[in-house]
Amino acid sequence: MRKLALSDDILLKVDKPARYIGNEVNSVKKNPADVDIRFCMCFPDVYEIGMSHLGIQILYDMFNKRPDVYCERVYSPWPDLSVIMKEKKIPLFALETQDPIHDFDFLGITIQYEMCYTNIIQVLDLSGIPLLATERTEEDPLVIGGGPCTYNPEPIADFFDLFYIGEGEVVYDDLFDLYKECKKNGLSRHEILVKMAALPGIYVPQLYDVTYNEDGTIASFTPNVEGIPSRIEKAIVMDTSKIGYPAHPVVPFIKATQDRVVLEIQRGCIRGCRFCQAGMLYRPTRPRDVNELKAMADEMLKSTGYDEISLSSLSSSDYPDLKELIEFLIENYEKKGVNISLPSLRIDAFSLDIMSKVQDIRKSSLTFAPEAGSQRMRNVINKGLTEENILEGAGMAFEGGWQKVKLYFMLGLPTETEEDIKGIPELAEKIARRYYEIPKDQRNGKCNITISTSFFVPKPFTPFQWVPMCTREQFLERAKLVNDTVKEQLNKKSMKYNWHHADVTILEGILARGDRKIAKALLRAYELGCVFDAWDEYFDVEKWNRAFRDTGIDEDFYTVRPREKDEIFPWDFLDCGVSREFLYREYERAQQETVTPNCRMACSGCGALKYKGGVCVENKN
């Protein structure tokens, strides 16, 4: 019987002790003495969130297929346990062996959202790893970051030895081989990092210097050693048939946020919404082979015992073989009680026909994401949806038996007017009216419309990276206008309105758009007790405000300040596949309220054609 890092009396004192005991179904067991590299994969949030992340499952499976690597997992301990660990000086440990993280060669942290940044510092702190990369010694693991937030790694650069920019299947094997060779030859930590920095997609912050202009903007970003690139290009998988997939994913002991088999059907998105960072970062669109997906679905359902399968994609409706895949899943698994989940569908007849086949309309609600209330605003953001599309889709859904609708919008978008804001509840009213046009005896109960608004953050590598954010007060004024207008609608009793926290959005904007100077504020916020900032019950805006004051950070510099066309952004040293020229061209088209066709209709010259694959090649004669 293996020994747990936590005693029984400690486990009995904390909420959900199953978060910390490991030994789940399909978790990998190896003898650490038999491997050359020990890698601990970290998701810096609570277990239930981290266990739902597909990227970690993919890399966990890929790394452990190598006989010379043992990949284990760790998640952020919930505050009840972290207090006990601090008091009793219990080091943070991996789930599989319960060994301290500090004993590993690598600590790999996936960074999915900005609000987990203080959790990253907590993970380092509880592991006994020096928080600043420059203070680590030969005895400390190499701390490597990956995930979408690495497309502006600068606010957290001080805490990482290196970042992996792009898709993990491409360079990690080379990285591990290089590490083994370096260790065999007795190279120092610094020498190893210099060699790693020459690999594609690898960024070592210590090896680059940043200078600033008098106004605080960046003057230059340059390597401080020879032989490493001045511009780092993302790693990308172009042939999805040549990469593996976790046929036996780890199954948690307790219910996770995504408690089902997740089948990735494609990467990328053809749509080009101007607010969407993922749609730009993951270009070009690369669908997976439908026959491979069928085989994977079968094996994953057998290996996990799950009774639900979710098809993962940024825009599932655009997967070319969706109808064939759905028909296969229904034919083979419907009678076995397996449900099919289809997130990210568009509002059209094809999608609704698909959904009607796989969803129990008595239990589910239909989710639409118009993003903006007025047609003008949808043209600005290149949403590619008309009001006619929305109402026609809603009407078909209602006639098909749905009566619950969730509508997602953003407030604070560029060029937004009062008329655009009022258009949100007015569109909801038109949708409700469409429902009540159905004869009463044919309706499926009362119409329920939930309107949800988030506040807009102009993310790096989007056409809106040049625009300022709204202030907290402007965000709240917009939410109040929506709320007041909802109350004026004829069908107001059918509507419910929710909106995001403005303070959280402002912080997200600072962390998403910040430079290296933000690191000192992050460190100060952690010292003040900030952790689990993505959770309402733990987010403390006063502590964050104090952290910014204490470290001399001007929050407005990163949020409400307009950017000049030629300003150097903190993330400009990265090549995400789309050109700066394309992004600015799209920014200008947004100001002109001009829609850009999707990638299957016409090539917009974004720059992703250089990868010579995916939808880019499909459209070239």
Side-chain angles (χ1 to χ4, degrees):
M1 185 77 133
R2 67 191 175 91
K3 183 181 178 182
L4 291 174
L6 301 178
S7 61
D8 289 346
D9 63 317
I10 291 177
L11 288 171
L12 290 171
K13 291 177 182 177
V14 300
D15 185 36
K16 300 182 182 177
R19 291 167 170 162
Y20 313 109
I21 61 176
N23 211 33
E24 306 101 321
V25 172
N26 294 334
S27 61
V28 176
K29 297 176 179 65
K30 293 186 180 183
N31 183 351
D34 295 337
V35 301
D36 298 311
I37 297 172
R38 298 191 68 185
F39 192 108
C40 191
M41 186 73 71
C42 171
F43 192 99
D45 207 326
V46 73
Y47 176 88
E48 295 93 311
I49 304 291
M51 280 297 291
S52 302
H53 182 244
L54 177 60
I56 281 187
Q57 294 272 15
I58 289 174
L59 293 181
Y60 181 82
D61 177 73
M62 171 186 162
F63 292 178
N64 279 317
K65 282 178 178 174
R66 287 185 57 134
D68 57 348
V69 175
Y70 189 11
C71 181
E72 302 183 45
R73 295 163 297 126
V74 68
Y75 305 96
S76 293
W78 197 242
D80 56 355
L81 178 59
S82 64
V83 170
I84 295 173
M85 294 178 73
K86 281 262 189 180
E87 288 176 352
K88 296 186 178 293
K89 295 183 170 54
I90 301 170
L92 189 61
F93 53 90
L95 293 187
E96 278 75 3
T97 59
Q98 304 278 298
D99 286 343
I101 305 303
H102 193 274
D103 293 349
F104 285 68
D105 297 287
F106 289 89
L107 171 61
I109 303 177
T110 183
I111 316 164
Q112 295 297 308
Y113 36 82
E114 294 82 4
M115 302 307 291
C116 73
Y117 285 179
T118 52
N119 282 36
I120 293 172
I121 302 175
Q122 182 201 46
V123 165
L124 296 172
D125 189 19
L126 291 175
S127 300
I129 299 171
L131 303 184
L132 299 178
T134 53
E135 296 178 357
R136 293 175 196 145
T137 70
E138 306 296 327
E139 305 304 315
D140 298 307
L142 291 173
V143 180
I144 181 168
C149 288
T150 62
Y151 285 91
N152 179 21
E154 291 303 273
I156 48 175
D158 288 358
F159 309 115
F160 285 83
D161 295 298
L162 64 162
F163 291 95
Y164 184 117
I165 313 298
E167 296 172 346
E169 297 95 338
V170 183
V171 181
Y172 263 117
D173 280 331
D174 293 336
L175 186 75
F176 291 152
D177 292 342
L178 176 61
Y179 179 75
K180 286 173 58 178
E181 181 186 348
C182 290
K183 296 299 282 188
K184 180 181 177 181
N185 294 330
L187 271 61
S188 69
R189 184 185 190 90
H190 179 76
E191 290 170 328
I192 292 173
L193 288 172
V194 170
K195 286 191 171 293
M196 287 180 170
L199 292 174
I202 300 299
Y203 167 48
V204 180
Q206 298 172 55
L207 305 183
Y208 294 81
D209 294 328
V210 186
T211 63
Y212 296 90
N213 298 309
E214 287 186 10
D215 64 359
T217 59
I218 292 174
S220 68
F221 186 97
T222 53
N224 56 38
V225 298
E226 293 184 2
I228 64 173
S230 58
R231 186 169 171 81
I232 297 162
E233 186 170 346
K234 73 176 180 183
I236 182 170
V237 172
M238 290 311 302
D239 187 349
T240 55
S241 67
K242 292 184 178 179
I243 56 175
Y245 200 76
H248 299 78
V250 182
V251 181
F253 280 132
I254 56 178
K255 186 174 177 60
T257 307
Q258 300 291 330
D259 204 30
R260 56 185 70 94
V261 164
V262 179
L263 196 63
E264 182 189 49
I265 60 176
Q266 67 181 6
R267 294 185 182 181
C269 180
I270 64 172
R271 294 291 161 179
C273 298
R274 294 176 180 130
F275 60 84
C276 181
Q277 186 186 47
M280 299 296 165
L281 295 182
Y282 301 129
R283 291 187 175 207
T285 303
R286 292 147 289 148
R288 284 183 178 267
D289 180 78
V290 67
N291 292 316
E292 291 182 8
L293 291 173
K294 292 174 184 178
M296 285 193 290
D298 188 62
E299 191 166 358
M300 292 173 77
L301 286 166
K302 289 177 181 176
S303 71
T304 61
Y306 280 125
D307 61 1
E308 184 172 349
I309 185 165
S310 175
L311 305 185
S312 174
S313 169
L314 291 175
S315 180
S316 300
S317 304
D318 296 318
Y319 177 62
D321 297 310
L322 183 62
K323 187 173 185 293
E324 179 182 344
L325 180 59
I326 291 295
E327 288 175 351
F328 168 83
L329 294 173
I330 291 173
E331 181 180 343
N332 287 272
Y333 303 114
E334 186 177 43
K335 292 180 181 177
K336 297 178 183 179
V338 175
N339 296 319
I340 303 167
S341 173
L342 284 164
S344 307
L345 286 177
R346 289 176 64 81
I347 310 167
D348 55 32
F350 169 71
S351 299
L352 289 164
D353 178 58
I354 292 288
M355 291 182 72
S356 68
K357 294 176 181 177
V358 301
Q359 288 199 5
D360 182 345
I361 60 175
R362 295 167 298 177
K363 297 180 181 178
S364 65
S365 59
L366 202 61
T367 299
F368 292 169
E371 309 294 359
S374 70
Q375 190 58 50
R376 188 197 75 83
M377 198 72 250
R378 286 191 293 276
N379 291 348
V380 167
I381 64 176
N382 206 47
K383 182 61 183 176
L385 272 181
T386 65
E387 185 173 291
E388 183 182 2
N389 296 147
I390 296 167
L391 295 179
E392 183 180 356
M396 286 188 291
F398 293 147
E399 289 166 3
W402 278 279
Q403 90 280 8
K404 295 179 181 178
V405 177
K406 294 179 181 177
L407 299 172
Y408 288 97
F409 299 91
M410 283 182 289
L411 289 172
L413 287 162
T415 77
E416 185 178 68
T417 66
E418 182 175 317
E419 184 178 352
D420 298 320
I421 298 166
K422 288 183 175 180
I424 292 173
E426 289 169 357
L427 179 60
E429 167 69 19
K430 291 174 184 176
I431 291 172
R433 199 179 304 155
R434 178 67 183 83
Y435 179 79
Y436 290 112
E437 289 174 359
I438 299 172
K440 191 171 184 178
D441 60 344
Q442 297 175 27
R443 297 178 203 155
N444 192 21
K446 180 185 173 184
C447 177
N448 293 297
I449 298 177
T450 301
I451 305 167
S452 294
T453 59
S454 60
F455 296 126
F456 170 67
V457 176
K459 291 291 182 82
F461 294 113
T462 68
F464 292 147
Q465 63 182 356
W466 284 272
V467 305
M469 286 178 64
C470 289
T471 64
R472 176 184 184 275
E473 292 70 29
Q474 289 171 331
F475 278 138
L476 293 177
E477 286 170 4
R478 284 161 165 76
K480 183 178 185 301
L481 181 56
V482 173
N483 195 45
D484 291 345
T485 309
V486 165
K487 295 175 182 177
E488 297 170 1
Q489 302 305 307
L490 178 66
N491 290 293
K492 59 187 177 184
K493 290 184 179 180
S494 297
M495 300 180 197
K496 179 183 177 183
Y497 175 48
N498 304 314
W499 64 92
H500 194 54
H501 292 286
D503 291 320
V504 172
T505 302
I506 297 296
L507 177 59
E508 182 186 344
I510 296 169
L511 300 181
R513 295 159 67 85
D515 52 27
R516 287 193 188 184
K517 290 180 277 189
I518 295 298
K520 57 187 177 181
L522 278 165
L523 197 53
R524 181 60 180 143
Y526 177 69
E527 292 170 350
L528 292 171
C530 292
V531 74
F532 282 99
D533 297 299
W535 296 74
D536 291 348
E537 61 264 46
Y538 291 109
F539 177 70
D540 190 332
V541 68
E542 294 305 322
K543 288 179 180 176
W544 275 102
N545 289 340
R546 180 180 169 186
F548 289 127
R549 288 195 306 270
D550 290 353
T551 53
I553 295 295
D554 177 7
E555 299 171 55
D556 290 350
F557 179 82
Y558 299 98
T559 53
V560 301
R561 177 180 63 86
R563 271 68 169 169
E564 297 297 327
K565 179 181 179 180
D566 58 353
E567 178 177 330
I568 298 175
F569 296 132
W571 51 89
D572 274 343
F573 68 96
L574 299 174
D575 181 352
C576 80
V578 299
S579 69
R580 186 182 173 105
E581 292 73 24
F582 163 75
L583 293 174
Y584 198 80
R585 190 164 67 244
E586 281 296 288
Y587 171 50
E588 292 178 317
R589 289 173 70 85
Q591 293 172 309
Q592 298 158 5
E593 302 170 18
T594 303
V595 173
T596 298
N598 73 61
C599 297
R600 283 210 173 94
M601 293 173 65
C603 179
S604 57
C606 72
L609 183 61
K610 67 183 178 182
Y611 297 120
K612 301 178 181 178
V615 72
C616 296
V617 169
E618 292 171 22
N619 290 342
K620 289 293 175 183
N621 295 323

